[in-house]
Amino acid sequence: MIAQSNRRPFVRNAILAGLSLPDLAALGPSLEPTVLRERAILQEPRKPVEHIYFVETGIVSQRIVAAGSILETAVVGFRGAVGASFLFDGHVTTHQSVVLFPGSALRIRVHDLRRAMSERDQIREHLLQYVQALVMHGAQTGLCGVRHNLEQRLACWLCLTCDALDGCVLPVTHDHLSNVLGLRRAGVTETLIRFEEQGLIRKMRGVLQVDDRKQLEQKACSCYGIIAGAYLPPPPCVDQPAGISA
């Protein structure tokens, strides 16, 4: 819980951090710290939403599930809120939200957040700006899937996920990349090998580290710049993880 006080409490989530102190204090008593466990399903399609999750650390994959197939439409990290679009567009969510990388979040009941939005215009405005960026992210992802090649799409996903995570070490497997991007696993593996040979990334079992972010961005399609520009500017990547060496 974020208690009301004269000092500004520290919050990692960019939406909450962008609120004024009175607005943040108004939400504080209703915010509940929660652990995001890997593979936990936070929301299911066509089911009522009970909580909105302001992600602090980790990554949540927002995806469409149909006929046994999945298509990831966006990744949600510290700049976002899982379920925020539900506040503006209906009574049930259309997406499945699954924790991809474990972390933490501040969650709030939907009725508490709606009450705060009705009483404080800036809270509503901040959330609406984020939802507009998220909707554009999903639409651009759909366009990317039919217009751009494997290398461009993979580089775009890696850059966007680094932004959302605020880090350059991604605990992701080839199988996951293949599934969420709708690509052949062999093609994903071949492309990652090329990226590694070019010094852009390093691969270990279940872990991928981005070493040359600028060059990786140049490999990405134009969708990366369009999507990234819709969100708050990401901080520079400064990870120096222990135990991963050249």
Side-chain angles (χ1 to χ4, degrees):
M1 179 182 298
I2 298 178
Q4 298 187 32
S5 72
N6 293 326
R7 296 182 59 192
R8 185 175 185 85
F10 174 79
V11 288
R12 177 90 172 108
N13 181 270
I15 298 173
L16 296 178
L19 295 175
S20 68
L21 184 57
D23 286 340
L24 185 58
L27 290 178
S30 301
L31 291 169
E32 175 190 2
T34 186
V35 175
L36 300 179
R37 303 191 186 281
E38 185 175 3
R39 299 182 183 178
I41 299 175
L42 303 183
Q43 293 168 352
E44 286 277 26
R46 297 175 296 281
K47 291 187 178 180
V49 173
E50 295 182 359
H51 294 91
I52 306 300
Y53 295 80
F54 291 95
V55 178
E56 296 267 282
T57 61
I59 292 287
V60 177
S61 172
Q62 181 175 288
R63 53 186 63 171
I64 295 173
V65 182
S69 299
I70 64 171
L71 176 65
E72 185 177 83
T73 60
V75 288
V76 180
F78 79 102
R79 294 178 298 175
V82 176
S85 57
F86 165 80
L87 297 167
F88 298 93
D89 65 5
H91 300 289
V92 294
T93 182
T94 58
H95 290 75
Q96 182 186 66
S97 297
V98 181
V99 178
L100 176 57
F101 305 160
S104 62
L106 295 169
R107 74 177 188 178
I108 183 172
R109 292 188 180 279
V110 168
H111 62 82
D112 289 331
L113 185 52
R114 279 185 165 151
R115 182 177 66 249
M117 288 167 56
S118 67
E119 296 171 352
R120 295 180 172 271
D121 291 341
Q122 286 303 307
I123 294 177
R124 180 181 180 85
E125 183 63 25
H126 269 65
L127 284 166
L128 180 58
Q129 289 176 0
Y130 169 71
V131 168
Q132 289 172 338
L134 186 65
V135 169
M136 191 279 291
H137 187 162
Q140 195 69 33
T141 296
L143 176 65
C144 186
V146 298
R147 296 294 292 273
H148 298 134
N149 63 38
L150 187 158
E151 181 176 281
Q152 291 174 316
R153 293 177 61 199
L154 185 54
C156 180
W157 189 92
L158 293 174
C159 290
L160 287 171
T161 305
C162 284
D163 289 350
L165 187 65
D166 188 19
C168 295
V169 177
L170 310 179
V172 65
T173 65
H174 296 197
D175 282 337
H176 174 81
L177 292 171
S178 173
N179 288 334
V180 298
L181 293 174
L183 299 170
R184 292 175 51 251
R185 189 187 188 283
V188 169
T189 298
E190 291 168 4
T191 303
L192 290 176
I193 290 173
R194 286 200 304 273
F195 284 173
E196 189 165 30
E197 291 172 345
Q198 295 164 5
L200 308 183
I201 66 169
R202 276 179 283 174
K203 297 188 287 86
M204 297 180 65
R205 185 174 180 83
V207 176
L208 184 152
Q209 176 175 329
V210 175
D211 284 338
D212 192 335
R213 174 58 186 273
K214 290 184 178 180
Q215 290 296 319
L216 189 63
E217 285 184 21
Q218 292 179 10
K219 294 282 187 182
C221 54
S222 59
C223 297
Y224 169 68
I226 294 171
I227 294 171
Y231 293 104
L232 297 173
C237 181
V238 293
D239 275 342
Q240 294 294 336
I244 300 181
S245 58

